[in-house]
Amino acid sequence: MNYVIKKVLNSSVVLVSDHENNEFILLGKGIGYGKKVGESIDQSASNQIFVPVENTKSKQFEELMDDIPIDILTITQEIIVEAQKLLECEFNKSLYLILADHLNFAVQRVRDGIVITNRVFWEIKNYYPKEFKAGLMAIYMFEEKLGITLPEEEAANIAFHFANATMGKQESHDTMKYAKVIGEIINIVIFSLNRNVDRQSAHYMRFVTHIKFFVERYFTNSMLNNQNDLLYNQMKSAYPKEMAVALKIKAFLEQKYGTPLTNEEVTFLVVHIARIMKG
């Protein structure tokens, strides 16, 4: 397919549009050399990288392309392709712009010897293990192809971008915020139970998974809300200690974020807390 050049950003990056005026970035060594605005260009060479761009963000792309080396742009696209395979998902188009900028800045920090601590590294590593694995893959690709060693902490930063960019997520999805709240809830459970919890057990891993989905429902106003309180009352009677912990979580969330939990959500918290107790 042929595209029309709208702007030559540098010798290796051009901004083009199709017949419906959708904008795209073409990357490839030398593809912009000697080219002029208005010329046609064929997006068919195997060494070219093709990135769709939201029209509203083309100016952001143009500004960033002046600062980001072609090798960073190229590795960013390769990382995104491999991460989508690993996570079996499709990312939002905006990820390319965000991740390329982040990786370029990460390289600059490494070269300048600047270390920035990720305050939710542990939470992301443990509560978003698939995304973290994809983040590790990204830093391995960086070292293999560019000879640049990024710290392991960068895997969590990259995982954060992957989690936020997954197609189908609500616009309000904020992985850093979610990870922090997940950690707070789990700490409430562990300290309230006052006992050692096997963090490698199947019950614990299921509990973490439940809390992840629970937190997403909580912040996207999609909580479970069966009006029949029969099961809630049964759990309250059968598991008083676990119910007390669940009500602590309910009070914590309502005080901090202002949204009360439904009885059905409290009921399922009790179920998973009880499983940890047995595990």
Side-chain angles (χ1 to χ4, degrees):
M1 180 180 289
N2 288 328
Y3 296 88
V4 176
I5 296 176
K6 297 189 70 173
K7 189 169 185 177
V8 178
L9 302 176
N10 59 51
S11 63
S12 299
V13 185
V14 292
L15 176 67
V16 301
S17 62
D18 62 12
H19 64 283
E20 295 181 345
N21 205 34
N22 297 311
E23 293 186 331
F24 306 87
I25 292 288
L26 290 185
L27 302 99
K29 291 184 179 179
I31 63 170
Y33 183 76
K35 299 292 185 181
K36 296 181 180 179
V37 174
E39 287 187 16
S40 293
I41 189 169
D42 183 24
Q43 191 271 319
S44 60
S46 60
N47 67 334
Q48 291 179 6
I49 297 173
F50 188 61
V51 183
V53 182
E54 295 177 24
N55 289 4
T56 56
K57 295 187 177 180
S58 61
K59 287 187 177 180
Q60 290 176 267
F61 259 98
E62 293 175 28
E63 293 172 358
L64 284 174
M65 294 309 159
D66 292 334
D67 299 325
I68 303 177
I70 184 65
D71 56 352
I72 300 292
L73 298 173
T74 302
I75 194 70
T76 298
Q77 180 67 0
E78 293 175 0
I79 286 170
I80 288 173
V81 170
E82 293 304 315
Q84 287 183 144
K85 292 177 184 177
L86 182 62
L87 299 175
E88 299 180 329
C89 70
E90 185 176 351
F91 295 131
N92 295 323
K93 294 176 182 178
S94 59
L95 176 63
Y96 182 85
L97 174 68
I98 295 169
L99 188 58
D101 187 42
H102 173 85
L103 291 173
N104 187 50
F105 185 45
V107 170
Q108 292 175 19
R109 292 200 306 269
V110 168
R111 288 173 176 166
D112 294 339
I114 299 172
V115 178
I116 298 178
T117 302
N118 184 337
R119 295 182 180 178
V120 290
F121 172 82
W122 189 91
E123 286 86 350
I124 290 178
K125 180 179 179 180
N126 286 274
Y127 306 147
Y128 293 86
K130 291 183 179 179
E131 289 83 355
F132 184 76
K133 183 178 179 181
L136 285 175
M137 175 197 68
I139 63 176
Y140 294 152
M141 288 175 66
F142 236 82
E143 185 164 13
E144 180 184 1
K145 300 196 174 188
L146 302 182
I148 300 171
T149 303
L150 298 176
E152 186 185 39
E153 198 166 70
E154 275 303 327
N157 294 330
I158 296 169
F160 157 73
H161 290 300
F162 288 155
N164 263 359
T166 303
M167 293 292 284
K169 294 286 187 183
Q170 297 289 332
E171 289 298 317
S172 59
H173 181 74
D174 184 337
T175 305
M176 291 291 190
K177 178 180 179 181
Y178 287 16
K180 182 180 178 182
V181 175
I182 291 167
E184 289 171 334
I185 290 173
I186 289 175
N187 283 337
I188 289 173
V189 173
I190 291 175
F191 286 123
S192 297
L193 295 179
N194 193 28
R195 56 173 291 178
N196 292 326
V197 174
D198 182 2
R199 294 177 184 263
Q200 302 302 316
S201 70
H203 290 315
Y204 179 79
M205 296 310 296
R206 277 199 293 268
F207 178 68
V208 170
T209 299
H210 171 77
I211 295 300
K212 282 172 58 178
F213 288 116
F214 159 70
V215 168
E216 289 186 12
R217 290 196 302 272
Y218 181 79
F219 285 114
T220 55
N221 297 316
S222 53
M223 283 187 285
L224 304 174
N225 192 18
N226 187 334
Q227 298 297 323
N228 188 339
D229 286 340
L230 176 61
L231 182 58
Y232 173 85
N233 290 325
Q234 288 176 338
M235 297 299 289
K236 187 176 181 179
S237 176
Y239 299 96
K241 291 182 179 178
E242 292 84 349
M243 177 61 75
V245 177
L247 292 177
K248 279 187 182 180
I249 295 170
K250 176 180 180 180
F252 163 75
L253 291 173
E254 186 167 356
Q255 180 180 10
K256 189 167 184 178
Y257 300 104
T259 303
L261 287 187
T262 63
N263 283 350
E264 187 173 7
E265 290 288 3
V266 172
T267 299
F268 281 104
L269 281 173
V270 172
V271 170
H272 286 277
I273 293 169
R275 284 177 177 172
I276 289 180
M277 290 287 285
K278 290 180 180 179

